[in-house]
Amino acid sequence: MIGTVVKSTGSWYLVRDHASGQLFKCRLRGKFKNKGLKVSNPIAVGDEVTMEPEGGDQQGVITEIAPRRNYIIRKSTHKAHHAHIVASNLDQAFLVVTLVSPRTSFGFIDRFLVTAEAYDIPATLLFNKLDLYDPEALEYMNQVMQLYSQIGYPCYPLSAHTGQGLAQVQELLADKVSLFTGHSGVGKSTLVNALVPDLDIKTSEISAFSDKGVHTTTFAEMFEVEPGTYLIDTPGIKELGVVEMKREEIAHYFPEMRERLNKCKYNNCVHVNEPGCAVQEAVKKGKIAIPRYESYLSLLQDEDSHR
């Protein structure tokens, strides 16, 4: 039987069977190794797996994981030097950001975008809590949205609270697997509830199969919005450490830097203080935004993303 992992509790995995649509509560057979990747979770939401029924009552065992076409990954909060796969096999990713209560930092936004670029996942920014913005905050939001739109990232202002802008986002979800993530407190849960009708029913359907009393806040969960349309909700992420990335690769994941890399004087330029650097020249001329360049420098130094 082939299915998709819709929830993981660390010891049990809920798998939706492709043929019947039924949920199976599965465990892993033996140990799964992710080739060359130290991860705290061998299986992630969105993984396609092969399973065999075991012990009746819609229980099963996972015997195989299909190769992932992409994934979003971050540093593990539990295990040092390990990564955590947030979700896999995505068509697109949405980062919910707020510029008031709480303010999402440029560093956090850029780390997310770099991770999405690295795995070729189209990313969109959703600016939530529009109902709280005064004229000054609105002006600032428009400037930030313009900064990211110019680089090529779609930006949508909205209010999960009033429903403003939600219809546009709903249209973007059709026939795709979409990941929603963001800092704690940005209103992501309210937004997901507003975007997915009857989410309470869908949550209780999945919870009925989960271990009673086990509340995991470290794993994502996939919901079927309608046939062929899936939304993966993730718990609030405190920080996004970038994983599996060499220092000299980082600039490739900034689109506005990528287009200038072949104009640098030196092939091994890391765009910090080398002479003849096209990236530094573009920063001086205002063609690369200073907050983006600062994010790049902080990634080079591997500083904490929530600063």
Side-chain angles (χ1 to χ4, degrees):
M1 293 161 67
I2 308 287
T4 300
V5 177
V6 297
K7 189 177 182 182
S8 155
T9 64
S11 50
W12 286 94
Y13 302 90
L14 289 185
V15 180
R16 194 182 297 279
D17 175 39
H18 287 180
S20 66
Q22 286 185 310
L23 289 171
F24 282 77
K25 186 175 171 182
C26 297
R27 62 177 182 84
L28 281 184
R29 172 170 290 167
K31 281 204 164 183
F32 279 81
K33 292 272 188 286
N34 283 276
K35 286 174 193 161
L37 189 60
K38 278 183 153 181
V39 290
S40 54
N41 57 327
I43 289 187
V45 167
D47 278 349
E48 193 172 281
V49 296
T50 304
M51 60 178 171
E52 295 170 3
E54 180 190 68
D57 196 25
Q58 283 172 257
Q59 294 201 9
V61 58
I62 293 169
T63 57
E64 206 176 319
I65 309 171
R68 299 175 175 119
R69 82 190 145 89
N70 60 35
Y71 48 85
I72 289 281
I73 193 167
R74 64 180 175 86
K75 284 183 179 168
S76 171
T77 50
H78 304 299
K79 288 186 176 178
H81 311 300
H82 275 63
H84 179 87
I85 298 171
V86 178
S88 69
N89 300 322
L90 306 167
D91 294 317
Q92 58 186 349
F94 292 89
L95 182 68
V96 184
V97 302
T98 46
L99 301 177
V100 294
S101 65
R103 184 183 71 82
T104 309
S105 69
F106 284 111
F108 186 84
I109 294 171
D110 293 335
R111 279 178 187 240
F112 177 80
L113 294 176
V114 162
T115 303
E117 285 284 337
Y119 299 99
D120 207 20
I121 300 165
T124 296
L125 300 179
L126 302 178
F127 289 79
N128 193 20
K129 302 197 180 178
L130 204 51
D131 50 297
L132 299 182
Y133 291 12
D134 61 20
E136 196 178 324
L138 274 175
E139 174 60 30
Y140 177 59
M141 181 193 73
N142 287 328
Q143 287 172 6
V144 175
M145 283 184 14
Q146 189 181 2
L147 185 160
Y148 285 104
S149 300
Q150 282 175 340
I151 301 164
Y153 296 109
C155 297
Y156 293 87
L158 54 87
S159 167
H161 190 61
T162 65
Q164 189 178 348
L166 292 194
Q168 272 183 301
V169 178
Q170 260 163 334
E171 284 174 23
L172 301 173
L173 303 182
D175 301 317
K176 287 190 164 73
V177 177
S178 305
L179 175 82
F180 277 71
T181 191
H183 262 317
S184 302
V186 294
K188 184 182 54 61
S189 301
T190 311
L191 176 59
V192 169
N193 275 296
L195 289 169
V196 185
D198 311 320
L199 186 66
D200 292 343
I201 296 164
K202 295 173 199 291
T203 308
S204 60
E205 174 198 10
I206 286 175
S207 297
F209 269 82
S210 300
D211 292 339
K212 296 259 188 308
V214 174
H215 292 287
T216 71
T217 53
T218 53
F219 295 96
E221 202 164 323
M222 179 189 279
F223 302 102
E224 187 175 34
V225 181
E226 53 192 47
T229 300
Y230 299 92
L231 186 154
I232 299 177
D233 185 23
T234 62
I237 292 176
K238 282 202 181 81
E239 60 175 297
L240 263 170
V242 171
V243 184
E244 295 188 299
M245 218 169 276
K246 295 184 177 127
R247 241 173 138 252
E248 58 274 18
E249 284 176 8
I250 295 170
H252 289 267
Y253 305 128
F254 284 76
E256 69 273 48
M257 292 186 194
R258 186 165 58 222
E259 65 189 45
R260 295 178 163 91
L261 297 184
N262 61 354
K263 293 174 184 159
C264 287
K265 186 174 176 182
Y266 299 105
N267 286 337
N268 59 351
C269 186
V270 288
H271 326 294
V272 179
N273 49 24
E274 299 88 340
C277 170
V279 169
Q280 290 171 76
E281 190 60 29
V283 174
K284 280 178 196 157
K285 289 180 175 171
K287 291 180 178 171
I288 291 177
I290 288 171
R292 288 279 288 171
Y293 184 62
E294 286 173 345
S295 291
Y296 168 73
L297 294 178
S298 117
L299 276 165
L300 270 190
Q301 293 154 15
D302 196 30
E303 291 173 355
D304 287 345
S305 56
H306 54 274
R307 281 183 192 169

